[in-house]
Amino acid sequence: MAPAPSKLYADDVSLLMVLLDTNPLFWTSSYLPFSNFLSHVLSFLNSILLLNQLNQVVVIATGYNHCDYVFDSSLATNQGSENGRMPALCYDLLQKLEEFLVKDEQLHKEGSEKGLASSLLSGSLSMALCCILFYDLDICTASLCLIFRRFFDQGHSIHNPGYVAIMNSIFSAQRSMVPIDSCYIGSNNSAFLQQASYITGGVYLKPQQLDGLFQYLSTVFATDLHSRTFLQLPKSVGVDFRASCFCHKKTIDMGYICSVCLSIFCKHHKKCSTCGSVFGQAQSDNESASNLKR
Amino acid sequence: MNNGEERRLNGEAEEDDDEDEGNGRGLEAWERTYADERSWESLQEDESGRLRPIDNKALYHAQYRRRLRTASATRIQKGLIRYLFVVIDLSKAAAEMDFRPSRRAVVAKHVEVFIREFFDQNPLSQIGLVTIKDGVTNCLTDLGGSPESHVKALMGKLECSGESSIQNALDLVHGYLNQIPSYGHREVLILYSALSTCDPGDIMETIQTCKKSKIRCSVIGLSAEIFICKHLCQETGGSYSVALDESHFKELILEHAPPPPAIAEFAIANLIKMGFPQRAAESSIAICSCHKEAKAGGGYTCPRCKARVCELPTECRTCGLTLISSPHLARSYHHLFPIVPFDEVSLSLLNDLYRKLPRACFGCQQTLLGAGNKPCPRVSCPKCKQHFCLDCDIYIHESLHNCPGCESARHSKPVAATEE
């Protein structure tokens, strides 16, 4: 997180990628209505754009069935709505967001799957990281900001499709030195988001009072990376790095790892259920054609 | 066809490249001619015979496609738990100045990069460093998992003198690698500057013992091809290559960072007992077992004996349990579930149908239309059919290991279940 020393104006210009959770299944049950939430977020985005005229904001909506860009400050038209009462930012964003939600709903009707599931964080994270590639990180510092209503930790295992993808994105962000900040509006802490922020050196925050969401956002997440070194930001209160075993989905702090495919088991097995290797003896012919070969 | 495509790309990317070259690395033009001596190699003739700097983007992308093809051709089980000895030749041949400033400095610089990249890709593996000097081998660092300690040990010890001996090096490494558990993959990477080897006994016998102990030996030469190195690599299943220049050397050494394909009988599958310590809260104070110092905050607690350690992955000093965290395991998963290579969208399809095809890259939203509304070269994911620009293609396969298109659509079934 060292500030770029080459250019003087570089240290406080920031590119902020905001990933919004728009999962309809979570926001309906919330005591913070989506419209209130949006007005907090809009003020937050406006305040970032006002902090420095070179600042950039990109908003990606993370839905239940797909993800899409809903706002990009570099492409924003400067015209507001007809009667001029609504600023451009809100107008553009709200219009795109509405289209997004309609499409998400359509996709949901087409899909046969039922049940409550988290938004597609892995998709929007991947998109955001691709997008950051295109900005010159010498003249601005990029950070990702996740604002999530709720996120299920469906077990840290390779059987959970989202897990591998999210972890891949997190490591990629770490390699490109992009911190992931997460603001989590759920009831329990999310181990995924905590890990994301911890690994990439970002801030994880679970606001206590949702009425003051804007204040949390603007004091914690609006600060550029250079100024963060001078601030007392929320510190992590013990990140859960335990894994869960593949056989019973229990969270364990000691376990057995398959040396071939790194599956985690809570007790000793004779055979790996993921890759089919037999343990403790030489492999016979049928295992050498490993199941991992795809 | 392929040629034509690249040529087209050359034409479009030229303007950008000129500018890039112009403000290159903050050096003046006359400084740059001295900074890299082979400046004539980065020029090419265009259609009208004028000299232009080589278009790196097209070249880079072609290179990457080649890499991807070889990687996806050998998509088989990989040895994820590796025990690698890096043998550095510090005989007097390493003081030669054909690499600037000298071979040893170049080797040291890239070994450091290699060590970091290695641990990034293989978090559960271990490296040891060995040097050859005056015909004698010397173990710089034992097998260990901390990149910092290896780099520190290497930087202090770079004087070179005397002859070099492959046999001595193999004997020493063989002794160490014989002790590691049977599930680990044993590997040796020799960075060889000399053109000869000065051995006390029969090196053929040593090569056979290495072969019997299933040690995979690879050699990167810095001078010229030597028969004995080639023979060693062929016998033990390693790879042999000779570096042409510094950038080629870097490329060759980094090829050894991703896990190699596992050969079934080389390592025996086994269950390894490991602990997943929890990170202590920032305010807690404890004495760590690795440095024997009282430290406030940070640190992890061993789940078996409750000793405090400072960093992961490591082995608990008190009870010997291997301590890792779940992200370390996750770092290796992309080797097991690699992302499919994207297909290049053919030029004829682009010309015919470009009005119907997506106008922007799905990943970065940059436009895929080049100058004059002509379509740029692009690739598409065979699964989700989204289109991506070439930069995103490289980033997705080399660093991200996720397809943004596939990830932003809900799967009907878990990926792991459908793909196995």
Side-chain angles (χ1 to χ4, degrees), chain A residues 64 66 69 118 122 165 169 172 174-175 198 253 255 257 259 294, chain B residues 120 270 272 274 276 279 331 337 363 365 395 399 402 407 410 419:
Chain A
Y64 183 78
H66 77 306
Y69 290 82
S118 312
S122 53
S169 317
S172 192
Q174 185 195 18
R175 269 193 288 272
Y198 178 76
D253 53 12
I257 314 285
S259 69
R294 285 182 293 157
Chain B
D120 191 48
N270 214 334
I272 315 155
M274 287 190 187
F276 298 96
R279 189 175 167 78
R331 241 176 231 279
F337 304 104
Q365 299 292 301
Y395 177 68
S399 171
N402 277 337
E407 289 308 324
R410 189 159 290 278
E419 291 193 352

PDB file of all heavy atoms in Angstrom, chain A residues 64 66 69 118 122 165 169 172 174-175 198 253 255 257 259 294, chain B residues 120 270 272 274 276 279 331 337 363 365 395 399 402 407 410 419:
ATOM      1  N   TYR A  64     -28.778 -11.427  -8.123  1.00  0.00           N
ATOM      2  CA  TYR A  64     -28.981 -12.832  -7.800  1.00  0.00           C
ATOM      3  C   TYR A  64     -28.625 -13.696  -9.006  1.00  0.00           C
ATOM      4  O   TYR A  64     -28.119 -14.797  -8.863  1.00  0.00           O
ATOM      5  CB  TYR A  64     -30.443 -13.043  -7.406  1.00  0.00           C
ATOM      6  CG  TYR A  64     -30.757 -14.434  -6.988  1.00  0.00           C
ATOM      7  CD1 TYR A  64     -30.400 -14.879  -5.708  1.00  0.00           C
ATOM      8  CD2 TYR A  64     -31.411 -15.307  -7.843  1.00  0.00           C
ATOM      9  CE1 TYR A  64     -30.678 -16.161  -5.313  1.00  0.00           C
ATOM     10  CE2 TYR A  64     -31.691 -16.589  -7.447  1.00  0.00           C
ATOM     11  CZ  TYR A  64     -31.320 -17.019  -6.183  1.00  0.00           C
ATOM     12  OH  TYR A  64     -31.584 -18.302  -5.792  1.00  0.00           O
ATOM     13  N   HIS A  66     -27.261 -12.219 -12.237  1.00  0.00           N
ATOM     14  CA  HIS A  66     -26.168 -11.722 -13.064  1.00  0.00           C
ATOM     15  C   HIS A  66     -25.569 -10.473 -12.436  1.00  0.00           C
ATOM     16  O   HIS A  66     -26.049  -9.990 -11.412  1.00  0.00           O
ATOM     17  CB  HIS A  66     -26.625 -11.479 -14.498  1.00  0.00           C
ATOM     18  CG  HIS A  66     -27.429 -10.229 -14.701  1.00  0.00           C
ATOM     19  ND1 HIS A  66     -28.559  -9.954 -13.977  1.00  0.00           N
ATOM     20  CD2 HIS A  66     -27.252  -9.190 -15.545  1.00  0.00           C
ATOM     21  CE1 HIS A  66     -29.051  -8.790 -14.377  1.00  0.00           C
ATOM     22  NE2 HIS A  66     -28.274  -8.308 -15.332  1.00  0.00           N
ATOM     23  N   TYR A  69     -22.253  -3.542 -14.898  1.00  0.00           N
ATOM     24  CA  TYR A  69     -21.841  -2.189 -14.541  1.00  0.00           C
ATOM     25  C   TYR A  69     -23.086  -1.308 -14.522  1.00  0.00           C
ATOM     26  O   TYR A  69     -23.883  -1.358 -15.454  1.00  0.00           O
ATOM     27  CB  TYR A  69     -20.873  -1.652 -15.580  1.00  0.00           C
ATOM     28  CG  TYR A  69     -19.529  -2.319 -15.556  1.00  0.00           C
ATOM     29  CD1 TYR A  69     -19.320  -3.526 -16.196  1.00  0.00           C
ATOM     30  CD2 TYR A  69     -18.467  -1.742 -14.880  1.00  0.00           C
ATOM     31  CE1 TYR A  69     -18.082  -4.151 -16.166  1.00  0.00           C
ATOM     32  CE2 TYR A  69     -17.226  -2.347 -14.847  1.00  0.00           C
ATOM     33  CZ  TYR A  69     -17.042  -3.548 -15.490  1.00  0.00           C
ATOM     34  OH  TYR A  69     -15.823  -4.152 -15.455  1.00  0.00           O
ATOM     35  N   SER A 118     -26.707 -16.525  -1.968  1.00  0.00           N
ATOM     36  CA  SER A 118     -26.018 -15.242  -1.943  1.00  0.00           C
ATOM     37  C   SER A 118     -25.935 -14.662  -3.343  1.00  0.00           C
ATOM     38  O   SER A 118     -26.086 -15.366  -4.330  1.00  0.00           O
ATOM     39  CB  SER A 118     -24.613 -15.414  -1.410  1.00  0.00           C
ATOM     40  OG  SER A 118     -24.633 -16.161  -0.239  1.00  0.00           O
ATOM     41  N   SER A 122     -18.515 -13.512  -6.782  1.00  0.00           N
ATOM     42  CA  SER A 122     -17.339 -13.897  -7.565  1.00  0.00           C
ATOM     43  C   SER A 122     -17.357 -13.227  -8.930  1.00  0.00           C
ATOM     44  O   SER A 122     -16.324 -12.785  -9.430  1.00  0.00           O
ATOM     45  CB  SER A 122     -17.266 -15.407  -7.715  1.00  0.00           C
ATOM     46  OG  SER A 122     -18.467 -15.906  -8.228  1.00  0.00           O
ATOM     47  N   ALA A 165     -13.701 -19.482  -6.816  1.00  0.00           N
ATOM     48  CA  ALA A 165     -13.685 -18.276  -7.645  1.00  0.00           C
ATOM     49  C   ALA A 165     -13.425 -17.039  -6.801  1.00  0.00           C
ATOM     50  O   ALA A 165     -12.636 -16.172  -7.188  1.00  0.00           O
ATOM     51  CB  ALA A 165     -15.005 -18.149  -8.383  1.00  0.00           C
ATOM     52  N   SER A 169     -10.133 -14.528  -6.937  1.00  0.00           N
ATOM     53  CA  SER A 169     -10.210 -13.079  -7.124  1.00  0.00           C
ATOM     54  C   SER A 169      -9.454 -12.355  -6.013  1.00  0.00           C
ATOM     55  O   SER A 169      -8.760 -11.370  -6.265  1.00  0.00           O
ATOM     56  CB  SER A 169     -11.657 -12.591  -7.106  1.00  0.00           C
ATOM     57  OG  SER A 169     -12.471 -13.432  -7.840  1.00  0.00           O
ATOM     58  N   SER A 172      -5.826 -12.522  -6.611  1.00  0.00           N
ATOM     59  CA  SER A 172      -5.443 -11.679  -7.731  1.00  0.00           C
ATOM     60  C   SER A 172      -5.412 -10.216  -7.309  1.00  0.00           C
ATOM     61  O   SER A 172      -4.522  -9.465  -7.706  1.00  0.00           O
ATOM     62  CB  SER A 172      -6.416 -11.890  -8.873  1.00  0.00           C
ATOM     63  OG  SER A 172      -5.936 -11.315 -10.026  1.00  0.00           O
ATOM     64  N   GLN A 174      -4.780  -9.205  -4.353  1.00  0.00           N
ATOM     65  CA  GLN A 174      -3.601  -9.065  -3.498  1.00  0.00           C
ATOM     66  C   GLN A 174      -2.355  -8.873  -4.351  1.00  0.00           C
ATOM     67  O   GLN A 174      -1.510  -8.038  -4.050  1.00  0.00           O
ATOM     68  CB  GLN A 174      -3.469 -10.324  -2.634  1.00  0.00           C
ATOM     69  CG  GLN A 174      -2.348 -10.233  -1.630  1.00  0.00           C
ATOM     70  CD  GLN A 174      -2.000 -11.590  -1.056  1.00  0.00           C
ATOM     71  OE1 GLN A 174      -2.351 -12.634  -1.611  1.00  0.00           O
ATOM     72  NE2 GLN A 174      -1.309 -11.583   0.057  1.00  0.00           N
ATOM     73  N   ARG A 175      -2.257  -9.638  -5.441  1.00  0.00           N
ATOM     74  CA  ARG A 175      -1.090  -9.509  -6.313  1.00  0.00           C
ATOM     75  C   ARG A 175      -1.034  -8.135  -6.958  1.00  0.00           C
ATOM     76  O   ARG A 175       0.033  -7.575  -7.141  1.00  0.00           O
ATOM     77  CB  ARG A 175      -1.115 -10.587  -7.391  1.00  0.00           C
ATOM     78  CG  ARG A 175      -0.402 -11.854  -6.997  1.00  0.00           C
ATOM     79  CD  ARG A 175      -0.199 -12.725  -8.221  1.00  0.00           C
ATOM     80  NE  ARG A 175      -1.433 -13.314  -8.657  1.00  0.00           N
ATOM     81  CZ  ARG A 175      -1.915 -14.462  -8.210  1.00  0.00           C
ATOM     82  NH1 ARG A 175      -1.246 -15.129  -7.308  1.00  0.00           N
ATOM     83  NH2 ARG A 175      -3.044 -14.943  -8.643  1.00  0.00           N
ATOM     84  N   TYR A 198      -8.825  -8.934   5.034  1.00  0.00           N
ATOM     85  CA  TYR A 198      -7.584  -9.185   5.749  1.00  0.00           C
ATOM     86  C   TYR A 198      -6.451  -9.484   4.783  1.00  0.00           C
ATOM     87  O   TYR A 198      -5.355  -8.925   4.889  1.00  0.00           O
ATOM     88  CB  TYR A 198      -7.765 -10.342   6.731  1.00  0.00           C
ATOM     89  CG  TYR A 198      -6.495 -10.661   7.461  1.00  0.00           C
ATOM     90  CD1 TYR A 198      -6.056  -9.846   8.494  1.00  0.00           C
ATOM     91  CD2 TYR A 198      -5.702 -11.735   7.082  1.00  0.00           C
ATOM     92  CE1 TYR A 198      -4.870 -10.088   9.134  1.00  0.00           C
ATOM     93  CE2 TYR A 198      -4.509 -11.990   7.720  1.00  0.00           C
ATOM     94  CZ  TYR A 198      -4.097 -11.171   8.752  1.00  0.00           C
ATOM     95  OH  TYR A 198      -2.913 -11.410   9.380  1.00  0.00           O
ATOM     96  N   ASP A 253     -10.391 -27.286  13.503  1.00  0.00           N
ATOM     97  CA  ASP A 253      -9.112 -26.585  13.613  1.00  0.00           C
ATOM     98  C   ASP A 253      -7.936 -27.538  13.479  1.00  0.00           C
ATOM     99  O   ASP A 253      -6.792 -27.105  13.493  1.00  0.00           O
ATOM    100  CB  ASP A 253      -9.025 -25.734  14.880  1.00  0.00           C
ATOM    101  CG  ASP A 253      -9.329 -26.499  16.120  1.00  0.00           C
ATOM    102  OD1 ASP A 253      -9.388 -27.734  16.047  1.00  0.00           O
ATOM    103  OD2 ASP A 253      -9.516 -25.863  17.169  1.00  0.00           O
ATOM    104  N   GLY A 255      -7.049 -31.188  11.088  1.00  0.00           N
ATOM    105  CA  GLY A 255      -7.630 -32.160  10.183  1.00  0.00           C
ATOM    106  C   GLY A 255      -6.589 -32.834   9.325  1.00  0.00           C
ATOM    107  O   GLY A 255      -5.390 -32.634   9.499  1.00  0.00           O
ATOM    108  N   ILE A 257      -5.239 -33.613   5.397  1.00  0.00           N
ATOM    109  CA  ILE A 257      -5.266 -33.067   4.045  1.00  0.00           C
ATOM    110  C   ILE A 257      -4.796 -34.142   3.083  1.00  0.00           C
ATOM    111  O   ILE A 257      -3.767 -34.787   3.316  1.00  0.00           O
ATOM    112  CB  ILE A 257      -4.300 -31.867   3.908  1.00  0.00           C
ATOM    113  CG1 ILE A 257      -4.446 -30.912   5.078  1.00  0.00           C
ATOM    114  CG2 ILE A 257      -4.482 -31.173   2.588  1.00  0.00           C
ATOM    115  CD1 ILE A 257      -5.645 -30.084   5.052  1.00  0.00           C
ATOM    116  N   SER A 259      -2.856 -35.382   0.063  1.00  0.00           N
ATOM    117  CA  SER A 259      -1.660 -34.785  -0.541  1.00  0.00           C
ATOM    118  C   SER A 259      -1.810 -34.593  -2.046  1.00  0.00           C
ATOM    119  O   SER A 259      -1.041 -33.886  -2.653  1.00  0.00           O
ATOM    120  CB  SER A 259      -0.430 -35.642  -0.245  1.00  0.00           C
ATOM    121  OG  SER A 259      -0.520 -36.859  -0.936  1.00  0.00           O
ATOM    122  N   ARG A 294      -9.734 -33.545 -16.382  1.00  0.00           N
ATOM    123  CA  ARG A 294     -11.052 -33.220 -16.899  1.00  0.00           C
ATOM    124  C   ARG A 294     -10.990 -33.050 -18.388  1.00  0.00           C
ATOM    125  O   ARG A 294     -10.063 -32.503 -18.913  1.00  0.00           O
ATOM    126  CB  ARG A 294     -11.558 -31.960 -16.243  1.00  0.00           C
ATOM    127  CG  ARG A 294     -11.993 -32.235 -14.836  1.00  0.00           C
ATOM    128  CD  ARG A 294     -12.531 -30.998 -14.217  1.00  0.00           C
ATOM    129  NE  ARG A 294     -11.466 -30.018 -14.057  1.00  0.00           N
ATOM    130  CZ  ARG A 294     -11.685 -28.751 -13.966  1.00  0.00           C
ATOM    131  NH1 ARG A 294     -12.882 -28.287 -14.011  1.00  0.00           N
ATOM    132  NH2 ARG A 294     -10.712 -27.915 -13.807  1.00  0.00           N
TER     133      ARG A 294
ATOM    134  N   ASP B 120       4.157 -18.182  -3.806  1.00  0.00           N
ATOM    135  CA  ASP B 120       2.829 -17.690  -4.123  1.00  0.00           C
ATOM    136  C   ASP B 120       2.001 -18.801  -4.773  1.00  0.00           C
ATOM    137  O   ASP B 120       0.820 -18.940  -4.504  1.00  0.00           O
ATOM    138  CB  ASP B 120       2.952 -16.491  -5.071  1.00  0.00           C
ATOM    139  CG  ASP B 120       1.652 -15.762  -5.235  1.00  0.00           C
ATOM    140  OD1 ASP B 120       1.025 -15.487  -4.195  1.00  0.00           O
ATOM    141  OD2 ASP B 120       1.248 -15.492  -6.376  1.00  0.00           O
ATOM    142  N   ASN B 270      -1.153 -39.592   0.431  1.00  0.00           N
ATOM    143  CA  ASN B 270      -1.261 -39.822   1.855  1.00  0.00           C
ATOM    144  C   ASN B 270      -2.092 -38.713   2.488  1.00  0.00           C
ATOM    145  O   ASN B 270      -2.288 -37.669   1.888  1.00  0.00           O
ATOM    146  CB  ASN B 270       0.137 -39.841   2.482  1.00  0.00           C
ATOM    147  CG  ASN B 270       0.211 -40.813   3.619  1.00  0.00           C
ATOM    148  OD1 ASN B 270      -0.806 -41.102   4.239  1.00  0.00           O
ATOM    149  ND2 ASN B 270       1.395 -41.319   3.887  1.00  0.00           N
ATOM    150  N   ILE B 272      -2.222 -35.956   5.368  1.00  0.00           N
ATOM    151  CA  ILE B 272      -1.273 -35.245   6.207  1.00  0.00           C
ATOM    152  C   ILE B 272      -2.058 -34.539   7.296  1.00  0.00           C
ATOM    153  O   ILE B 272      -3.044 -33.860   7.010  1.00  0.00           O
ATOM    154  CB  ILE B 272      -0.510 -34.188   5.389  1.00  0.00           C
ATOM    155  CG1 ILE B 272      -0.063 -34.784   4.066  1.00  0.00           C
ATOM    156  CG2 ILE B 272       0.644 -33.636   6.162  1.00  0.00           C
ATOM    157  CD1 ILE B 272       0.140 -33.766   2.988  1.00  0.00           C
ATOM    158  N   MET B 274      -2.849 -31.667   9.652  1.00  0.00           N
ATOM    159  CA  MET B 274      -2.506 -30.248   9.674  1.00  0.00           C
ATOM    160  C   MET B 274      -3.417 -29.503  10.634  1.00  0.00           C
ATOM    161  O   MET B 274      -4.539 -29.925  10.886  1.00  0.00           O
ATOM    162  CB  MET B 274      -2.661 -29.640   8.283  1.00  0.00           C
ATOM    163  CG  MET B 274      -1.573 -30.065   7.333  1.00  0.00           C
ATOM    164  SD  MET B 274      -1.622 -29.127   5.834  1.00  0.00           S
ATOM    165  CE  MET B 274      -0.397 -29.981   4.877  1.00  0.00           C
ATOM    166  N   PHE B 276      -5.289 -25.751  11.714  1.00  0.00           N
ATOM    167  CA  PHE B 276      -5.739 -24.461  11.179  1.00  0.00           C
ATOM    168  C   PHE B 276      -5.831 -23.479  12.335  1.00  0.00           C
ATOM    169  O   PHE B 276      -6.878 -23.346  12.949  1.00  0.00           O
ATOM    170  CB  PHE B 276      -7.107 -24.604  10.511  1.00  0.00           C
ATOM    171  CG  PHE B 276      -7.105 -25.531   9.346  1.00  0.00           C
ATOM    172  CD1 PHE B 276      -7.475 -26.853   9.496  1.00  0.00           C
ATOM    173  CD2 PHE B 276      -6.732 -25.087   8.097  1.00  0.00           C
ATOM    174  CE1 PHE B 276      -7.469 -27.716   8.421  1.00  0.00           C
ATOM    175  CE2 PHE B 276      -6.731 -25.939   7.023  1.00  0.00           C
ATOM    176  CZ  PHE B 276      -7.093 -27.258   7.182  1.00  0.00           C
ATOM    177  N   ARG B 279      -6.361 -16.614  14.021  1.00  0.00           N
ATOM    178  CA  ARG B 279      -5.559 -15.428  14.263  1.00  0.00           C
ATOM    179  C   ARG B 279      -6.037 -14.768  15.542  1.00  0.00           C
ATOM    180  O   ARG B 279      -7.232 -14.566  15.744  1.00  0.00           O
ATOM    181  CB  ARG B 279      -5.696 -14.468  13.095  1.00  0.00           C
ATOM    182  CG  ARG B 279      -4.727 -13.324  13.196  1.00  0.00           C
ATOM    183  CD  ARG B 279      -4.761 -12.435  11.997  1.00  0.00           C
ATOM    184  NE  ARG B 279      -4.039 -11.214  12.276  1.00  0.00           N
ATOM    185  CZ  ARG B 279      -2.717 -11.131  12.255  1.00  0.00           C
ATOM    186  NH1 ARG B 279      -1.986 -12.158  11.960  1.00  0.00           N
ATOM    187  NH2 ARG B 279      -2.116  -9.984  12.535  1.00  0.00           N
ATOM    188  N   ARG B 331      -5.167 -21.167  -2.386  1.00  0.00           N
ATOM    189  CA  ARG B 331      -4.234 -20.660  -3.368  1.00  0.00           C
ATOM    190  C   ARG B 331      -3.859 -21.715  -4.400  1.00  0.00           C
ATOM    191  O   ARG B 331      -3.475 -21.405  -5.513  1.00  0.00           O
ATOM    192  CB  ARG B 331      -2.951 -20.239  -2.656  1.00  0.00           C
ATOM    193  CG  ARG B 331      -2.619 -18.809  -2.788  1.00  0.00           C
ATOM    194  CD  ARG B 331      -1.400 -18.565  -1.948  1.00  0.00           C
ATOM    195  NE  ARG B 331      -1.621 -17.439  -1.081  1.00  0.00           N
ATOM    196  CZ  ARG B 331      -1.502 -16.179  -1.491  1.00  0.00           C
ATOM    197  NH1 ARG B 331      -1.178 -15.922  -2.718  1.00  0.00           N
ATOM    198  NH2 ARG B 331      -1.725 -15.195  -0.662  1.00  0.00           N
ATOM    199  N   PHE B 337      -8.436 -26.816 -10.680  1.00  0.00           N
ATOM    200  CA  PHE B 337      -9.591 -26.465 -11.516  1.00  0.00           C
ATOM    201  C   PHE B 337      -9.194 -25.339 -12.455  1.00  0.00           C
ATOM    202  O   PHE B 337      -9.613 -24.205 -12.290  1.00  0.00           O
ATOM    203  CB  PHE B 337     -10.766 -26.019 -10.643  1.00  0.00           C
ATOM    204  CG  PHE B 337     -11.155 -27.039  -9.627  1.00  0.00           C
ATOM    205  CD1 PHE B 337     -10.802 -26.878  -8.311  1.00  0.00           C
ATOM    206  CD2 PHE B 337     -11.855 -28.163 -10.004  1.00  0.00           C
ATOM    207  CE1 PHE B 337     -11.144 -27.834  -7.367  1.00  0.00           C
ATOM    208  CE2 PHE B 337     -12.181 -29.113  -9.069  1.00  0.00           C
ATOM    209  CZ  PHE B 337     -11.832 -28.948  -7.749  1.00  0.00           C
ATOM    210  N   GLY B 363     -15.300  -8.041 -19.621  1.00  0.00           N
ATOM    211  CA  GLY B 363     -14.570  -7.835 -18.366  1.00  0.00           C
ATOM    212  C   GLY B 363     -14.393  -6.375 -18.029  1.00  0.00           C
ATOM    213  O   GLY B 363     -14.802  -5.918 -16.976  1.00  0.00           O
ATOM    214  N   GLN B 365     -15.224  -3.555 -20.041  1.00  0.00           N
ATOM    215  CA  GLN B 365     -16.133  -2.604 -20.670  1.00  0.00           C
ATOM    216  C   GLN B 365     -15.450  -1.675 -21.656  1.00  0.00           C
ATOM    217  O   GLN B 365     -16.048  -0.707 -22.104  1.00  0.00           O
ATOM    218  CB  GLN B 365     -16.888  -1.752 -19.627  1.00  0.00           C
ATOM    219  CG  GLN B 365     -17.740  -2.545 -18.692  1.00  0.00           C
ATOM    220  CD  GLN B 365     -18.921  -3.179 -19.396  1.00  0.00           C
ATOM    221  OE1 GLN B 365     -19.740  -2.494 -19.974  1.00  0.00           O
ATOM    222  NE2 GLN B 365     -19.002  -4.486 -19.358  1.00  0.00           N
ATOM    223  N   TYR B 395      -4.925 -11.472 -18.497  1.00  0.00           N
ATOM    224  CA  TYR B 395      -5.100 -11.288 -17.052  1.00  0.00           C
ATOM    225  C   TYR B 395      -5.933 -12.419 -16.453  1.00  0.00           C
ATOM    226  O   TYR B 395      -5.620 -12.961 -15.390  1.00  0.00           O
ATOM    227  CB  TYR B 395      -5.764  -9.931 -16.790  1.00  0.00           C
ATOM    228  CG  TYR B 395      -6.059  -9.689 -15.340  1.00  0.00           C
ATOM    229  CD1 TYR B 395      -5.026  -9.502 -14.437  1.00  0.00           C
ATOM    230  CD2 TYR B 395      -7.364  -9.663 -14.868  1.00  0.00           C
ATOM    231  CE1 TYR B 395      -5.288  -9.289 -13.111  1.00  0.00           C
ATOM    232  CE2 TYR B 395      -7.629  -9.448 -13.541  1.00  0.00           C
ATOM    233  CZ  TYR B 395      -6.591  -9.258 -12.664  1.00  0.00           C
ATOM    234  OH  TYR B 395      -6.854  -9.057 -11.330  1.00  0.00           O
ATOM    235  N   SER B 399      -3.612 -14.517 -13.996  1.00  0.00           N
ATOM    236  CA  SER B 399      -3.651 -14.055 -12.612  1.00  0.00           C
ATOM    237  C   SER B 399      -4.993 -14.350 -11.939  1.00  0.00           C
ATOM    238  O   SER B 399      -5.038 -14.824 -10.821  1.00  0.00           O
ATOM    239  CB  SER B 399      -3.361 -12.558 -12.573  1.00  0.00           C
ATOM    240  OG  SER B 399      -3.597 -12.045 -11.306  1.00  0.00           O
ATOM    241  N   ASN B 402     -10.435 -16.931 -13.140  1.00  0.00           N
ATOM    242  CA  ASN B 402     -11.904 -16.990 -13.114  1.00  0.00           C
ATOM    243  C   ASN B 402     -12.379 -16.426 -14.431  1.00  0.00           C
ATOM    244  O   ASN B 402     -11.815 -15.458 -14.887  1.00  0.00           O
ATOM    245  CB  ASN B 402     -12.469 -15.988 -12.112  1.00  0.00           C
ATOM    246  CG  ASN B 402     -12.481 -16.488 -10.732  1.00  0.00           C
ATOM    247  OD1 ASN B 402     -12.482 -17.680 -10.514  1.00  0.00           O
ATOM    248  ND2 ASN B 402     -12.503 -15.575  -9.803  1.00  0.00           N
ATOM    249  N   GLU B 407     -18.778 -16.614 -14.066  1.00  0.00           N
ATOM    250  CA  GLU B 407     -19.040 -16.380 -12.655  1.00  0.00           C
ATOM    251  C   GLU B 407     -20.251 -15.493 -12.435  1.00  0.00           C
ATOM    252  O   GLU B 407     -20.852 -15.521 -11.372  1.00  0.00           O
ATOM    253  CB  GLU B 407     -17.824 -15.730 -11.987  1.00  0.00           C
ATOM    254  CG  GLU B 407     -16.645 -16.638 -11.816  1.00  0.00           C
ATOM    255  CD  GLU B 407     -16.995 -17.937 -11.132  1.00  0.00           C
ATOM    256  OE1 GLU B 407     -17.851 -17.914 -10.237  1.00  0.00           O
ATOM    257  OE2 GLU B 407     -16.421 -18.972 -11.496  1.00  0.00           O
ATOM    258  N   ARG B 410     -25.762 -17.572 -12.814  1.00  0.00           N
ATOM    259  CA  ARG B 410     -25.967 -18.581 -11.772  1.00  0.00           C
ATOM    260  C   ARG B 410     -25.910 -19.980 -12.377  1.00  0.00           C
ATOM    261  O   ARG B 410     -26.525 -20.259 -13.383  1.00  0.00           O
ATOM    262  CB  ARG B 410     -27.316 -18.364 -11.081  1.00  0.00           C
ATOM    263  CG  ARG B 410     -27.482 -19.227  -9.865  1.00  0.00           C
ATOM    264  CD  ARG B 410     -28.512 -18.665  -8.940  1.00  0.00           C
ATOM    265  NE  ARG B 410     -28.068 -17.437  -8.282  1.00  0.00           N
ATOM    266  CZ  ARG B 410     -27.294 -17.423  -7.201  1.00  0.00           C
ATOM    267  NH1 ARG B 410     -26.877 -18.537  -6.683  1.00  0.00           N
ATOM    268  NH2 ARG B 410     -26.943 -16.285  -6.659  1.00  0.00           N
ATOM    269  N   GLU B 419     -18.218 -30.898 -13.292  1.00  0.00           N
ATOM    270  CA  GLU B 419     -17.025 -30.987 -14.119  1.00  0.00           C
ATOM    271  C   GLU B 419     -16.200 -32.218 -13.863  1.00  0.00           C
ATOM    272  O   GLU B 419     -15.260 -32.499 -14.576  1.00  0.00           O
ATOM    273  CB  GLU B 419     -16.171 -29.740 -13.915  1.00  0.00           C
ATOM    274  CG  GLU B 419     -16.850 -28.526 -14.490  1.00  0.00           C
ATOM    275  CD  GLU B 419     -15.918 -27.358 -14.577  1.00  0.00           C
ATOM    276  OE1 GLU B 419     -14.811 -27.466 -14.063  1.00  0.00           O
ATOM    277  OE2 GLU B 419     -16.329 -26.349 -15.161  1.00  0.00           O
TER     278      GLU B 419
END
